[in-house]
């Protein structure tokens, strides 16, 4: 299984080393995973007592994690209802992917021009790890590494504002992008597009990378729309 420490070792200039994780970080990741995998379904109220018991934590760290997920756009906090897993419409998906597509194409072009050879090789290393997870059909860890590669390409632009905007939107539709890989045909298609992305990046072919990122985002919308 690939974890955040593995990603850090593969790309030290992209991801700062994490020496210790807080309880908040652990609860946040577990709760986010429950949403991504659909164990907490869109529209479902998050029962703090039940979820807290499942995770073995009190309500305080759980509530802090819920607040973070609300800021990411994965959870809505409604009066008299509490925390609800956000339900996205096809229009929501289309608008977010439209902006993500533009951000990633810009980040990819800048990465081709500005990234060091070491940074590009680190991204390639992440890609190889992702393929290993694909071969073992470990969908959740594959997905996390997949998203890390998208972030790494944008980070390689060196533009902090671009990175911040991309991170915000990418976090918002993690559940939708995860279910977009359901089924062998859809998953294989996404992997093939990632292969093209890495080839273009290693060649520093900005036009080719922007093109495949665009096609990848367009395909993502089609793959996800089928299951909304």
């Amino acid at each position: 299984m690939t974890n955040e420490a593995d990603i850090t070792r593969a790309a030290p200039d992209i991801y700062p080393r994490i020496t210790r994780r807080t309880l908040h970080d652990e609860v946040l990741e577990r709760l986010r995973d429950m949403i991504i995998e659909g164990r907490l379904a869109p529209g479902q109220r998050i029962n703090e007592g039940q979820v807290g018991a499942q995770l073995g934590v009190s309500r305080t760290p759980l509530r802090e994690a819920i607040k973070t997920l609300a800021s990411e756009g994965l959870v809505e906090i409604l009066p008299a209802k509490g925390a609800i897993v956000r339900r996205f419409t096809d229009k929501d998906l289309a608008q977010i992917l439209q902006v993500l597509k533009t951000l990633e194409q810009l980040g990819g072009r800048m990465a081709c021009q500005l990234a060091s050879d070491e940074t590009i090789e680190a991204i390639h290393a992440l890609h190889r790890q992702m393929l290993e997870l694909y071969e073992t059909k470990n969908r959740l860890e594959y997905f996390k590494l997949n998203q890390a590669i998208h972030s790494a390409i944008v980070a390689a632009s060196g533009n902090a504002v671009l990175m911040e905007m991309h991170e915000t939107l990418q976090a918002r539709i993690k559940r939708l992008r995860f279910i977009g890989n359901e089924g062998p045909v859809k998953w294989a298609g996404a992997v093939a597009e990632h292969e093209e992305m890495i080839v273009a990046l290693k060649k520093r072919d900005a036009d080719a990378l922007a093109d495949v990122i665009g096609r990848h985002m367009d395909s993502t919308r089609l793959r996800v729309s089928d299951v909304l």
Side-chain angles (χ1 to χ4, degrees):
M1 180 180 291
T2 299
N3 55 34
E4 290 186 11
D6 296 324
I7 296 173
T8 301
R9 287 194 292 272
D13 53 345
I14 297 172
Y15 294 96
R17 176 178 289 277
I18 298 174
T19 56
R20 183 178 180 183
R21 300 194 71 189
T22 65
L23 177 62
H24 171 75
D25 292 333
E26 294 287 353
V27 174
L28 177 60
E29 181 175 6
R30 293 284 297 278
L31 193 57
R32 188 188 288 117
D33 287 350
M34 292 174 74
I35 293 173
I36 291 173
E37 292 184 287
R39 285 179 285 161
L40 290 172
Q44 179 179 344
R45 186 177 72 85
I46 300 176
N47 185 313
E48 293 182 1
Q50 181 180 353
V51 174
Q54 289 176 342
L55 300 182
V57 297
S58 67
R59 290 177 183 248
T60 299
L62 183 61
R63 285 173 178 170
E64 290 303 313
I66 288 172
K67 288 178 183 178
T68 300
L69 292 176
S71 71
E72 292 180 0
L74 285 174
V75 168
E76 295 178 297
I77 300 178
L78 304 178
K81 291 186 177 181
I84 308 293
V85 178
R86 182 173 175 181
R87 187 189 302 276
F88 289 89
T89 66
D90 185 63
K91 182 178 180 181
D92 293 330
L93 174 67
Q95 291 181 345
I96 293 172
L97 285 177
Q98 183 180 39
V99 178
L100 270 177
K101 174 179 174 179
T102 302
L103 295 177
E104 290 198 13
Q105 285 178 320
L106 175 59
R109 287 185 179 277
M110 294 176 68
C112 287
Q113 297 172 355
L114 303 173
S116 67
D117 291 340
E118 291 77 15
T119 295
I120 290 177
E121 179 51 39
I123 296 172
H124 190 196
L126 294 179
H127 176 73
R128 290 194 296 267
Q129 292 179 40
M130 186 192 77
L131 292 181
E132 292 175 3
L133 292 169
Y134 172 64
E135 291 300 325
T136 60
K137 306 305 178 188
N138 188 333
R139 280 190 66 216
L140 181 59
E141 296 304 318
Y142 162 91
F143 174 75
K144 290 180 181 180
L145 204 47
N146 177 298
Q147 295 293 278
I149 290 169
H150 282 271
S151 295
I153 291 174
V154 172
S157 71
N159 188 308
V161 175
L162 181 61
M163 292 164 58
E164 181 180 1
M165 294 177 66
H166 178 263
E167 180 182 3
T168 297
L169 291 179
Q170 181 169 251
R172 195 164 295 172
I173 56 169
K174 280 185 176 180
R175 165 61 185 164
L176 294 181
R177 296 187 78 169
F178 179 75
I179 61 176
N181 285 336
E182 288 181 343
V185 175
K186 291 181 179 181
W187 197 355
V191 170
E193 289 157 6
H194 263 257
E195 290 272 23
E196 287 189 65
M197 288 165 58
I198 294 301
V199 169
L201 179 63
K202 287 181 69 68
K203 290 181 178 178
R204 295 182 181 272
D205 188 334
D207 289 338
L209 181 55
D211 176 70
V212 68
I213 287 173
R215 286 188 285 110
H216 183 59
M217 288 297 182
D218 291 342
S219 297
T220 295
R221 185 187 175 190
L222 294 175
R223 286 190 285 261
V224 175
S225 294
D226 290 344
V227 291
L228 269 180

